[in-house]
Amino acid sequence: MIDRGFIKWQPFNSITPLKDTIKSIREKETWVKPTLFPEEIKVINDAIMEAYYAKNMINIVYYEENKIKKIKSFIKKINPSSKVIELGCGKKIYWKQIIHVDSYE
């Protein structure tokens, strides 16, 4: 049997321009920030405080620059006066940007 190596993948190079087009479309997408109910805000606040004091890893879904983004990190510092959360990766997120939180033990 003859090994063709990378030759067998050559037909898929025609898909590359389509891949670039899809990427540019996704970059242009904008999202509307969802409105949270007071109960959801309380659950998010409780999960953040619990993860902060227990030093657990936290997965935060937040709204920034008309996009919904996700980040997984530890909470380094919480500043209640400016309502900013500093994460271990160096990212700062405002409380009003947060949409959803999952904490890991």
Side-chain angles (χ1 to χ4, degrees):
M1 183 193 251
I2 300 171
D3 182 24
R4 297 183 333 170
F6 287 107
I7 297 172
K8 61 184 173 184
W9 299 109
Q10 283 182 346
F12 294 106
N13 286 339
S14 64
I15 298 176
T16 304
L18 178 63
K19 193 177 193 181
D20 294 337
T21 305
I22 291 172
K23 184 178 177 182
S24 68
I25 290 171
R26 287 201 175 149
E27 287 174 356
K28 292 177 185 175
E29 278 183 332
T30 60
W31 296 83
V32 177
K33 183 179 182 281
T35 305
L36 301 176
F37 290 107
E39 295 84 13
E40 292 174 311
I41 294 171
K42 184 179 181 335
V43 169
I44 288 171
N45 289 343
D46 291 345
I48 288 172
M49 297 309 285
E50 181 180 337
Y52 176 67
Y53 288 115
K55 304 289 186 204
N56 291 339
M57 183 72 78
I58 192 165
N59 188 23
I60 299 176
V61 179
Y62 63 101
Y63 181 80
E64 181 179 57
E65 299 172 356
N66 295 327
K67 295 185 190 261
I68 295 177
K69 300 180 179 182
K70 296 178 184 178
I71 193 165
K72 184 176 180 179
S73 183
F74 291 98
I75 298 175
K76 184 177 177 183
K77 183 179 176 184
I78 297 176
N79 190 340
S81 62
S82 62
K83 298 181 181 179
V84 173
I85 298 171
E86 289 184 36
L87 301 176
C89 62
K91 177 85 175 155
K92 292 183 181 182
I93 300 176
Y94 289 96
W95 284 90
K96 63 182 180 181
Q97 291 178 302
I98 298 173
I99 298 170
H100 182 74
V101 171
D102 290 325
S103 113
Y104 303 101
E105 294 182 11

